[in-house]
Structure formats: C-alpha cells, structure tokens
Amino acid sequence: MNHRKLRHNSTTQNQNEQIPAASIPKTCGNQLYHFLWFSLIATCTKLLLIPAYHSTDFEVHRNWLALTHSLPLSQWYSDETSPWTLDYPPFFAYFEYFLSFFASMLDPTIVHLTDGLNSKSHLTILFQRLSVTLSDAVLFYGIYRITRKLDPKQKYLIWVLAVWAPGLIIVDHLHFQYNGFLLGMLLISLSALENGEDLLGGFAFAVLLCFKHLFAVAAPVYFVYLLRHYCRGGLVKGFGRLVVMGSVVVAVFAAAYGPFVYNGQIHQVLRRMFPFGRGLCHAYWAPNFWVFYIMFDKLLAFLLVKMGFHVKAPTASFTGGLVGDSSPFAVLPTITPLISLVLVLLSISPCLLKAWRDPKPSAVTRLVAYAYSCGFMFGWHVHEKASLHFVIPLAIIALKSVEDAKHYFFLSIVSCYSLFPLLYEAQEYPIKVLLLLLHAALMWFGLSSYFGAYVPKGDERSHSSAVVRNADFVIGWFGKSYLMGIVVVDICGQFLHPVVLGNKLPFLPLMMISIYSGFGMMYSWIWQLKWIIGSI
Amino acid sequence: MEKMKIRKNPPKPKFSDPDTGIWSWIVQRGTVASFICISLFALLVRVCVSLHPYSGAGNPPKYGDYEAQRHWMEITINLPVKEWYRNSTINDLNYWGLDYPPLTAYQSYFHGLILRCFDPKSVSLYTSRGYESYIGKLLMRWTVLSSDALIFFPAVLYFINVYYSGKPIKEKTSVAWHIALILLNPCLILIDHGHFQYNCISLGLTVAAVAAILSDRDVVGSVLFSLALNHKQMSAYFAPAFFSYLLGKCLRQQNPVIEVAKLGLAVLGTFAVVWSPYLYSAEASLEVLSRLAPFERGIYEDYVANFWCTTSILVKWKRLLNMQPLKLLSLTATISACLPSMIQLIWKPKKSSFLYGLLNSALAFYLFSFQVHEKSILLPLLPASFLAMEKPFVLLWLTQNALVSMFPLLTRDKLIIPYIALHGLFILLYHSPGGRQHKKETQSSFGTLRLFLLSCFLVLHVVYLTIAPPRKYPFLFEAVIMLLCFSQFVVIFLYTNTKQWTPSKPSALSTEAKKHL
C-alpha cells in the first residue's frame, strides 16, 4: 500500500515536470474560458430538461416562494396552508424570499399562497427550473475555485467528473431540488480550508449550515479541524483565534436565526427543522447500513419461524413507506434516533482523531467526505440524495492516486444508480440511463488514460523501452461483475418484474436496487474508513 | 489492441498548446472512444429535446407532422400494400395521405407493428385519428430515436473513418470536433426529435452513400443513395452531385459504358425491389408517383427563405403564372443553378469537389426548386457539416441562418427553449477548446458585418416573440427573417460554387496541419 503510494507520488511529480514552466501563465486566461465552456455545455443540457418530470419537491419550493412572499417573517414557520411546510433553515427561506420577487414580476400567481397551489403553468415551471440552473453558478464557482491550483490535465478531468455529474442533474434538474448551489458552498468552504484560509472556510460552512442543516454531519470534523489547525500557536493566540472564529460563526447564526428569536418563533423553527416523528428509513430505502439491518431482521424472523418459535409479526411495515412509533422489527431491537446518532458519531470518530492529530489542509476534503458518508450510512431518515454530499467532494480528490480513482469510479456509478428510483416514469428512463452511461464512459476513458499511460523513468533514458508500469487503472473481475450486476438488477426490476409478477410486490424492484447499491455504498464507506485509519 | 498501440507510442504531452491538452485523455483512445462519448451525449440531447412538444400537439383537426406519421403507421398496418397510396373510404388521402416513397411506408409499417404491440389504440384503423397519449408520444419518439441511433450514427462513424483514412492527422482532437458537429447539428435534432420527422433515416442513408463513394465503393454508394431517394424524394437534392460525380468517374475508366451500366443496374435494381408491390401495372406505379409530386400545393410554402418566396414580395408568381409554366420555370432555374457544379464534377471528378458538389446542388434545389419547405434546409446542411474541417465558417454561418429561418416554424411548435439551448450548444461546440483552429475566417471587416447580422437576428427574435405585427402586414417579421436568411443563403451558394471551381490545394487539411506544426 505504502509502496504504491510512494511510487505514485513520484509519477505525479514527473507529470508536473512535463509542463513547460513558460506555458503556465499563458494558460491562465484560457483556463477560465475552458471552464466556462464546460459549465455552459452543462447549462444548455439543463435547459433542455425544463419540461421533464419533477417530483412534489417542485410544489414544495413553489409553496415556499409563496409563503415567504405573502406572509410576514413571523409566520413563515407556522403557516400550514399547504402540507409542504417550510422545514429548511432561515437562509434558505431568505433565498426563497429573494427569488419570490422575480417570480411575482413574472407571474403573481406563482407566489400566491392559495391561488398558486399546485400551479403547473409554463411560467411557473420555467421560473423554478431557471432558478435552479442559475443558482448552479455557485456550484461552478466552487468547482473552479477548488481546482484552480491543480495542473491542467487534472483540472479538465475533475471538471468532467464534477461539472457534468449525473447525480446532480438527476436530483436538481429532473427531480427538482437546489443541491447544486449548496454543494457549491461546501466546495468553496473546502477550497478555503485546503488553501489555509480557515476563517473563510469556517464562515462559508456556517452559512451553508444555515441554508440546509443536513450538512451539519460534518460539523464535528470542521470543529476539530479548525480547533487544531486555526486555533494553534500558543494558549493566548489560540484562544484569540478561537474567539474570532467563534464570533464569525455566531454572527452568521445570528443573522439567520436572529429575526426568528426576535419574533419568538425560534421553537417553531427548530421543531420544523428536526421532525423526529419520521421513521428510520425514507419511503424508498437509501442504500445504507439500515437496509442490511432490516434484511437481517427479516431473515432472522423467517429462520425462527421455520425453527418453530413464535415471532410476533411487526405492526408497522417498511414497505408501506411511512413508519409510525411502533417497532417495525420482528426480532432485532428497535432503532431510536439516539442510537442512530451515536452510531454516526462513533463512525466519524476515526476521522476526528485524524483531524486532531494531523490537521493537514490537503486531507480535509477527504475527512469531510468521509463524515458525510458516515451520516449517509447510519443517519436517521436518510434520503438517497444525501449520497451527493460525499460523491461531489470525492470527485475533487479522485485523481490523487489510482486507488482513489478506482474507488471514485465505483462509487459514482453506484450512487448515480441508487438515484434511479427517483425518476420512475417511462419518459425519463432513457435520460437517466444515458446520463449514467455517458458519465461511466467519460470516467473510464479519462481515468484509464490518466493512470494508464507509461511514464519514462526519470533520467534513465537509455532504458526507455523498460518503462515503469504506472499503477494501472484496472477494475478487478469482482468490481466488474458487480457493476455488470447493476445492469442485471435493472433489467429484472424494469422489464422482467412487470412481465412475471405484474402489479404484485411493487416494492420489490426498489428493494433490490437499494440492497444492491447498499453493498457498493458499504464498500465505499469501508474503503474510506480504511484509508483514514491507515493514515492516522 | 488499441491499448497496445497507445502504449507503444506514448503520446507526447501537448501542454505547449493548452487547447489540445484538454481532450488528450479521450482522443488518445482513438476515434471510436471519442465517437462513443459524443454519440452518448448526442443521444442524451436528442432524448431531452424529445421531452418537448411535437408539431400540432393538441391542435385538432389536422394536428401536424406527428399525426401524419402516426396516421401512416395506422394505414400501413391495417391495409394491404396495394391500398396504401389509393384513395378510398378508409384511406382518405386528404387526411395526411402517404406522400413519401415506399421505403417510408415500409418504415411506417415496421414502426406501426411496434406501436401496436405496446399501445394498440394508437394505431387502430380510423378510430385513432388525432390520438395523443403519454405512452403513444413516448413510443413514437423512441422510434425516431432508435432510427437515428441505428442508421444515422453508424453512417457518421463510417463517414469519419473513410474521410480521415490516409489523411495525415496531427490533431486527433479535430476529428472528435468534426464528429460532434455532424452529430449535434441543431436543425436536424430540432426537426426530427422536436417537430417530429424521420429525416435521420434518409440523411443517414445519404451519409453512408457518400462514405461508400469516398471509399470507391461506387455500387454500394449508388444502392444506398437509391434507398435514401426511396425514403424521401427530397434526397433528390443531392442527385445531381451523385450523378455527375459518378458519371465523370465512369468516363475516366477503361470501359465507360460497362461502368455506367453497372451503376445503372444497381440503381434500377434497388428501385425495382423497393417498388415491387406497385410494379404489377403501370397504373399502380403512376398512382404512387403522383402522390410523391404534390404540385397542387404551390411553388412554395409558408415563408421559406428561397428565391420564389422571397421574390414573391415583388412578383406575385402564383397570380402571374399558371402551374405549368411555373413548373417549367422552376425546373429551368434549378437545373441552371446546379449546372456549374455538375459540369465541374463531370470535368474533374475529385473526392473533395464531390462534397462541394453535394452542398451546391442541395442549395440550388433549396433556392430554386418547386415546393420547398423550411425544413429542406436540412439537406444542404448535411454536406456543409462534411466540409466542417475545410470550411468551418460555412457550416457555422449556414447552420445559424438555417436555424433562424426555421424560427417561426419552431415557435409555432413551442420549441423555443430547445431552439435556444441547441443554438447555444452548437456555438459552444463550434468554438470548443481544442477544436479546429479557425483563424483565417475572422477578418475584421467581415467580422463586423457578421456581428451586425447576428445582432439583427437577436433583435428580430425578441421582436418576433414580444411585439404583435402591424395589422396590415401580419407576416411582416416572417418576411424580414426570410429576406435576411435568403440573402445569406445566396452569398453562401455563390461562395461555395466558386470554391468548387477554384483548384484546391493538394489537401487543405494537410497544409493546415503543417502550419500548426
């Protein structure tokens, strides 16, 4: 393992040496043009998706536009005109408030609290889709910022991976959400940390938390990292920096929550933001640890019944979607939010230890991504979309070593596939398949030519035929067959299931997808964990 | 095998030119790798465009081209072959009667079978008129998509392989750029996957025919082109070029008569096979033939940017002349417009001038022939995209004008968003980093003229969408668009004709490549 890493380091150095120093300043202007080209290609494709299927999240965000526009701030979090109440932190509400001005200029019914309900006019769709597409500018800026110091060859590949990420297009531009600009903020924060601008990094992360609190999973990592990296240099200086950082964060939170504290709404805001009444798993199981827990429970119950024991059938079922208070498990103990929280913290702890002992700016992206994977694996009521929180940051470090590249190749395919059930209508089927295929093909060609090329051995030009075989980008037979298995699972779920079983067991194809992707996600989590433990 | 090749000759780092470095990771893997990625993207774009409305969606009683194609499927799978082109109580030819050659009918039959399999209501006889449903639309869209992927895409790969074989390519990136420009032609995508037609089949067959002829497989080329003609009679726009190039080539062989006879037999044989159900009597064949030439529809339709429609502002052709003299007039005009290019091809049948010949004859037909539609600009666009490497600017200018000339049509079809997106995508691809360098064309005086025209177009678009035309001239804006586009088409036509006649340098491509080195 170490040996390999070493060897790779030497090769990257070689690659760096190959760039003529004179050409670097000349390329700077071009690079921006190239990056704009990449993002505009993505934007044009996103424009084409405007009339595609969108989920109820579309109406959720439309309702938030309406309620922020027509109600005073004090009623934002208590309004119940629509079942889609506001449950994101205040900055997101302000963001919707900001958007609602443009919406009302375009068509006042969009922002009308009652008339606009379930509005699906062309203008509503156009406005909301365009707002997502335009807000992606933050994502593009984040990607550009975090890759600006890399050498051009790496940049181009990372842009291909991140700017054209299929998962984001599926979730944001088809399913409808605003993850792009939130992830953009995360990337801005990470790029600041990698660059040593800790205060800016902390500030951006605090802002991000006030946009979407699901990003808080990485807060412990940020806390430990900033404490050890920013607040160092003796007791006095360190404390001073702690105060500075603390006041920045408090200022951000005050800006977000202050108006609600002033209006006496803070309890209501918090109650909306943390609805623990929801079950362990979302209607469609995110491919995480709990899938295996549920399946293990079912298996145990089945075996015990076979062996003659009496097992009480659970009153609530997972397949129904909504899970109430009663235990859905037949044999295994019930999971409470507290257990899930403890598990998340426990699984994050290695990376906290790493951040404590060795707070290196170059490793911070990996640590944060790992924290999000832990949140995804063990979190409470996790959405499958949450896998984007670590897939996108991992894209940035996918070229650090051939092992990283292999892992990313694998993970991004699995994560994209696990998003397939979001688009269940026939019309979007070719779109999601083509998105995944295109991404896989680009990744395959890109990563394998990046890592597969022969690199001459430094000075030994005489032995140029005996070139070092750089750690090749090769996916083993096991990985290959797992990825091919995705095709089998999809064919079974999409084509064989309706023919063989008809309308019976409609949940089965979804279950198959989440179990199958669960294995891949589990592998990815263990791989990241191993990396972190290995580097402590 | 391909991997082995690459490893033996490690590509030199190209960071000295950052523009080519950008795609090195993919072009190193060979043409097929770039073709796979580009065609996946092209397919994705096509599927995304197909989400948008088709022509005549929810617009009874006649609907649009979508309904026409669906109606043909309904007719062909429910009636015997002999009845397809015959007016009867069941097959009312006034309601979107078949007016394309038999190959289209067979294709409709085949697609109709698929539709019947999944959504029988959509093709049931008579009752399915104006049938629109979610699944019906999807199935119809997917038939176009699969035709595109199975005919047009492989044909383009064939063409690229032939076109670049034996040419010294120093910049593999340019090949990828060329593929992208052919596959992502916005007009073709908008008409086939937005408006709804099957141009990809006849154009794909034409591409394959051109590729076959460029690789000296003249018989195969003639068969493929005859098939294209039998799918859409509009393919005849290319016929003068095929005819004169092959004739010129045959005349230079040892036995010209045998060569000509060989090709003639291939063409006749293909026609005989395709038309076999209608050859039992002269009457039946004439019946089909009369359906293919809808002279009663007038010399032009809507506001097409060709000679007849543009000059009709000054000269009312339709009122001035009867059908018969008009037909003769347009025939003479078309032939005389084609003639220079044909003579050049017969005189010097070179492969490079063959591509120009295709462009010139297609443009001549578009400008002067009878009954031209806005959509017919797709035909000149195809050879223009073949010439992308030699004359990139012609492709850009022709595509932009073609798009603008179709703008009123696309507005009616509610395809403005894909129009904007694809227009943008095309310009981006044309200027893609690492694509062909086009420094020569940007001369300052020409640049300002171009900028002026582009801003005119922009203003026209906004005006067209926002301002109602004066009541006295309800089609004022269409006329202005048509006038502008027509003038540009004429300029391009004259330019490409002179280019065909001026003796080309040994190979424009290789000299370009040398300059870069």
Side-chain angles (χ1 to χ4, degrees):
Chain A
M1 180 83 183
N2 271 333
H3 182 56
R4 259 197 169 168
K5 248 185 252 163
L6 250 170
R7 206 165 52 179
H8 183 70
N9 281 341
S10 70
T11 53
T12 39
Q13 267 173 14
N14 274 341
Q15 278 161 356
N16 286 332
E17 279 161 18
Q18 282 168 5
I19 313 164
S23 77
I24 291 174
K26 205 184 91 186
T27 62
C28 284
N30 270 338
Q31 306 263 295
L32 185 64
Y33 167 64
H34 293 169
F35 184 74
L36 279 177
W37 188 86
F38 271 88
S39 4
L40 286 175
I41 290 271
T43 308
C44 283
T45 317
K46 289 167 188 173
L47 283 183
L48 287 175
L49 292 172
I50 287 175
Y53 157 85
H54 50 76
S55 70
T56 47
D57 277 356
F58 180 83
E59 172 60 14
V60 171
H61 286 97
R62 200 227 34 90
N63 183 47
W64 293 358
L65 282 177
L67 70 86
T68 48
H69 191 80
S70 25
L71 292 176
L73 186 130
S74 56
Q75 289 173 37
W76 284 3
Y77 283 89
S78 50
D79 175 72
E80 282 179 354
T81 322
S82 154
W84 311 119
T85 52
L86 185 55
D87 56 5
Y88 272 27
F91 273 169
F92 203 90
Y94 300 153
F95 172 67
E96 296 277 5
Y97 184 56
F98 168 73
L99 286 182
S100 69
F101 280 104
F102 300 100
S104 72
M105 271 188 253
L106 200 65
D107 177 11
T109 48
I110 301 177
V111 292
H112 198 282
L113 205 51
T114 46
D115 289 358
L117 280 181
N118 295 313
S119 159
K120 293 214 168 163
S121 72
H122 286 298
L123 275 180
T124 315
I125 293 176
L126 187 69
F127 176 77
Q128 296 224 72
R129 290 282 198 202
L130 282 183
S131 70
V132 181
T133 308
L134 290 179
S135 69
D136 271 355
V138 181
L139 171 75
F140 293 149
Y141 175 69
I143 296 171
Y144 184 70
R145 200 187 140 97
I146 203 167
T147 55
R148 73 199 148 151
K149 296 251 167 96
L150 300 172
D151 76 62
K153 206 176 178 186
Q154 286 182 324
K155 264 185 200 176
Y156 297 139
L157 264 182
I158 290 173
W159 294 345
V160 169
L161 299 182
V163 177
W164 297 345
L168 266 179
I169 292 184
I170 289 178
V171 175
D172 278 13
H173 300 272
L174 288 159
H175 175 83
F176 199 84
Q177 274 195 347
Y178 289 90
N179 292 294
F181 87 92
L182 300 172
L183 282 166
M185 265 186 274
L186 179 68
L187 292 182
I188 292 172
S189 159
L190 288 175
S191 82
L193 292 189
E194 283 191 357
N195 214 18
E197 303 157 295
D198 288 348
L199 201 59
L200 178 64
F203 170 74
F205 187 68
V207 172
L208 174 64
L209 287 189
C210 295
F211 267 101
K212 194 171 179 178
H213 49 307
L214 279 178
F215 282 94
V217 182
V221 182
Y222 264 86
F223 180 75
V224 173
Y225 176 82
L226 289 175
L227 192 67
R228 293 286 293 171
H229 190 259
Y230 183 66
C231 312
R232 61 188 168 180
L235 200 64
V236 180
K237 193 183 168 200
F239 187 72
R241 286 189 154 195
L242 185 64
V243 170
V244 171
M245 179 64 82
S247 45
V248 165
V249 172
V250 167
V252 169
F253 275 78
Y257 294 91
F260 296 94
V261 175
Y262 177 77
N263 281 312
Q265 282 284 310
I266 192 69
H267 280 290
Q268 181 62 22
V269 173
L270 292 179
R271 204 176 309 139
R272 280 279 174 82
M273 277 166 54
F274 299 100
F276 278 114
R278 296 185 188 175
L280 175 65
C281 288
H282 190 232
Y284 158 65
W285 308 343
N288 60 8
F289 174 76
W290 302 120
V291 168
F292 297 107
Y293 192 79
I294 297 166
M295 292 320 290
F296 188 58
D297 176 68
K298 296 249 188 273
L299 184 75
L300 273 185
F302 177 76
L303 288 180
L304 286 178
V305 169
K306 278 270 161 185
M307 279 149 64
F309 290 97
H310 175 69
V311 177
K312 205 175 133 224
T315 45
S317 104
F318 275 107
T319 48
L322 282 172
V323 180
D325 295 329
S326 52
S327 166
F329 298 105
V331 186
L332 294 176
T334 310
I335 302 299
T336 63
L338 190 66
I339 299 177
S340 147
L341 181 69
V342 169
L343 268 178
V344 171
L345 286 178
L346 212 64
S347 59
I348 291 181
S349 56
C351 97
L352 295 182
L353 191 66
K354 162 87 179 151
W356 180 267
R357 287 175 57 170
D358 180 21
K360 254 198 320 213
S362 62
V364 70
T365 305
R366 194 185 296 276
L367 297 183
V368 169
Y370 172 73
Y372 285 128
S373 340
C374 293
F376 181 80
M377 287 316 284
F378 301 103
W380 182 261
H381 196 82
V382 172
H383 282 244
E384 61 284 3
K385 297 155 226 160
S387 65
L388 289 175
H389 296 181
F390 54 96
V391 172
I392 300 297
L394 281 174
I396 307 299
I397 52 170
L399 296 180
K400 288 215 167 159
S401 74
V402 70
E403 297 300 321
D404 274 311
K406 279 186 207 171
H407 166 247
Y408 186 74
F409 179 78
F410 192 79
L411 171 68
S412 74
I413 291 179
V414 174
S415 138
C416 180
Y417 181 62
S418 74
L419 296 172
F420 270 26
L422 285 178
L423 311 173
Y424 53 86
E425 289 195 21
Q427 184 175 249
E428 281 74 21
Y429 188 75
I431 297 183
K432 60 185 182 183
V433 171
L434 282 169
L435 275 172
L436 178 56
L437 281 180
L438 179 63
H439 182 64
L442 286 172
M443 261 199 309
W444 172 255
F445 291 128
L447 296 178
S448 60
S449 51
Y450 184 82
F451 288 104
Y454 276 89
V455 181
K457 242 188 200 170
D459 303 321
E460 297 168 23
R461 290 277 159 168
S462 51
H463 297 288
S464 61
S465 60
V467 284
V468 181
R469 193 186 163 128
N470 186 3
D472 260 1
F473 182 80
V474 177
I475 303 286
W477 64 270
F478 190 74
K480 264 184 198 148
S481 42
Y482 177 83
L483 292 178
M484 283 301 138
I486 287 181
V487 180
V488 178
V489 168
D490 208 54
I491 289 175
C492 286
Q494 285 291 326
F495 303 105
L496 293 184
H497 181 262
V499 175
V500 178
L501 290 167
N503 288 330
K504 275 182 271 173
L505 301 175
F507 201 71
L508 191 67
L510 295 185
M511 218 165 79
M512 269 162 57
I513 295 178
S514 53
I515 293 171
Y516 198 78
S517 327
F519 283 110
M521 287 294 182
M522 204 57 158
Y523 161 80
S524 159
W525 177 72
I526 292 171
W527 185 90
Q528 294 183 58
L529 179 65
K530 252 170 75 181
W531 195 97
I532 282 169
I533 290 175
S535 71
I536 287 176
Chain B
M1 267 307 283
E2 216 164 49
K3 267 188 193 172
M4 291 293 289
K5 263 188 216 161
I6 290 162
R7 281 179 188 161
K8 270 179 199 159
N9 308 311
K12 283 169 197 157
K14 284 183 177 168
F15 288 110
S16 52
D17 185 359
D19 277 349
T20 44
I22 190 166
W23 298 117
S24 63
W25 52 272
I26 181 145
V27 292
Q28 278 175 17
R29 311 293 302 256
T31 314
V32 174
S34 5
F35 184 80
I36 289 174
C37 293
I38 295 168
S39 53
L40 280 173
F41 180 64
L43 276 177
L44 178 69
V45 169
R46 281 162 165 77
V47 182
C48 295
V49 172
S50 77
L51 298 171
H52 294 258
Y54 44 82
S55 71
N59 186 19
K62 275 285 257 184
Y63 301 92
D65 274 352
Y66 172 88
E67 169 64 8
Q69 299 282 355
R70 195 210 51 72
H71 179 66
W72 295 349
M73 295 180 194
E74 166 202 335
I75 292 298
T76 47
I77 61 164
N78 287 302
L79 296 181
V81 185
K82 282 166 198 161
E83 300 286 322
W84 288 354
Y85 290 88
R86 188 172 292 158
N87 203 8
S88 63
T89 45
I90 303 167
N91 186 10
D92 176 12
L93 287 183
N94 283 323
Y95 184 83
W96 298 117
L98 249 173
D99 52 6
Y100 279 168
L103 201 57
T104 293
Y106 303 146
Q107 166 244 317
S108 298
Y109 176 75
F110 175 70
H111 285 150
L113 289 182
I114 298 175
L115 251 74
R116 185 155 68 182
C117 206
F118 293 99
D119 190 17
K121 258 202 244 160
S122 70
V123 284
S124 62
L125 192 59
Y126 209 79
T127 54
S128 67
R129 283 198 184 178
Y131 179 88
E132 290 179 299
S133 73
Y134 177 82
I135 193 74
K137 174 189 174 186
L138 268 187
L139 287 170
M140 292 282 281
R141 291 291 201 193
W142 288 349
T143 59
V144 188
L145 198 70
S146 54
S147 317
D148 216 344
L150 293 177
I151 296 173
F152 191 72
F153 283 55
V156 170
L157 181 62
Y158 180 30
F159 171 79
I160 288 290
N161 276 333
V162 170
Y163 186 73
Y164 285 101
S165 72
K167 286 197 187 179
I169 324 155
K170 296 292 178 233
E171 286 170 52
K172 288 183 180 171
T173 326
S174 328
V175 183
W177 176 79
H178 198 174
I179 298 173
L181 287 192
I182 302 181
L183 286 184
L184 283 155
N185 185 326
C187 302
L188 178 61
I189 300 179
L190 282 170
I191 292 299
D192 273 12
H193 301 271
H195 179 84
F196 204 91
Q197 279 196 342
Y198 291 89
N199 293 299
C200 51
I201 300 179
S202 62
L203 291 181
L205 289 169
T206 311
V207 176
V210 170
I213 284 176
L214 288 183
S215 60
D216 292 318
R217 296 192 188 105
D218 294 345
V219 178
V220 180
S222 318
V223 170
L224 284 169
F225 182 64
S226 311
L227 287 176
L229 267 175
N230 272 310
H231 189 264
K232 274 198 153 189
Q233 61 270 46
M234 240 100 81
S235 306
Y237 284 26
F238 299 124
F242 275 95
F243 171 76
S244 40
Y245 173 77
L246 290 175
L247 182 67
K249 205 176 160 192
C250 289
L251 292 178
R252 273 158 189 72
Q253 309 284 336
Q254 273 195 327
N255 286 317
V257 182
I258 295 179
E259 294 297 321
V260 172
K262 227 162 64 182
L263 295 181
L265 271 179
V267 172
L268 284 180
T270 318
F271 268 83
V273 170
V274 174
W275 285 66
S276 55
Y278 304 100
L279 291 178
Y280 63 94
S281 78
E283 198 190 343
S285 329
L286 281 176
E287 196 177 51
V288 180
L289 210 57
S290 69
R291 292 291 309 157
L292 304 187
F295 286 113
E296 70 284 354
R297 282 164 78 177
I299 189 158
Y300 56 81
E301 252 184 34
D302 295 339
Y303 279 81
V304 54
N306 77 348
F307 176 77
W308 304 112
C309 191
T310 313
T311 49
S312 71
I313 297 174
L314 303 169
V315 188
K316 299 289 167 213
W317 298 106
K318 285 184 183 174
R319 260 183 261 157
L320 211 63
L321 293 170
N322 279 332
M323 191 64 79
Q324 210 53 39
L326 258 184
K327 271 192 223 172
L328 263 177
L329 194 62
S330 82
L331 186 69
T332 344
T334 314
I335 290 180
S336 39
C338 287
L339 219 51
S341 143
M342 287 176 73
I343 293 171
Q344 198 276 339
L345 275 180
I346 298 173
W347 184 43
K348 270 189 181 167
K350 268 197 193 152
K351 280 173 188 167
S352 55
S353 41
F354 173 53
L355 296 180
Y356 279 104
L358 286 170
L359 175 57
N360 288 329
S361 74
L363 266 176
F365 266 76
Y366 177 81
L367 290 174
F368 297 106
S369 75
F370 204 86
Q371 234 287 307
V372 174
H373 203 276
E374 290 107 311
K375 288 165 254 170
S376 311
I377 195 65
L378 288 178
L379 291 128
L381 271 175
L382 187 73
S385 61
F386 295 157
L387 288 167
M389 202 50 106
E390 284 164 62
K391 291 275 160 254
F393 187 71
V394 170
L395 173 63
L396 177 70
W397 203 229
L398 190 63
T399 308
Q400 284 192 316
N401 279 288
L403 267 170
V404 175
S405 78
M406 290 195 302
F407 182 64
L409 173 82
L410 295 171
T411 314
R412 249 177 290 142
D413 289 346
K414 301 188 185 76
L415 291 171
I416 298 174
I417 293 169
Y419 172 85
I420 295 169
L422 285 184
H423 204 152
L425 206 57
F426 181 77
I427 293 172
L428 283 171
L429 286 172
Y430 180 81
H431 293 289
S432 63
R436 191 185 177 283
Q437 306 295 309
H438 18 75
K439 287 159 195 160
K440 271 195 288 180
E441 274 82 8
T442 46
Q443 286 156 6
S444 57
S445 61
F446 192 64
T448 36
L449 181 68
R450 192 182 147 216
L451 214 63
F452 170 72
L453 278 169
L454 280 179
S455 40
C456 275
F457 283 150
L458 195 69
V459 172
L460 257 180
H461 280 85
V462 177
V463 166
Y464 187 86
L465 289 178
T466 50
I467 300 174
R471 201 166 292 168
K472 203 174 163 196
Y473 306 105
F475 295 107
L476 177 70
F477 301 141
E478 278 94 342
V480 175
I481 289 178
M482 172 186 78
L483 216 69
L484 269 175
C485 292
F486 173 70
S487 65
Q488 299 308 306
F489 291 149
V490 170
V491 171
I492 292 171
F493 178 64
L494 294 175
Y495 175 76
T496 51
N497 262 296
T498 48
K499 275 291 146 196
Q500 193 186 337
W501 273 93
T502 42
S504 60
K505 289 160 245 166
S507 162
L509 197 74
S510 58
T511 47
E512 275 288 305
K514 270 176 208 159
K515 264 180 211 163
H516 277 292
L517 284 174

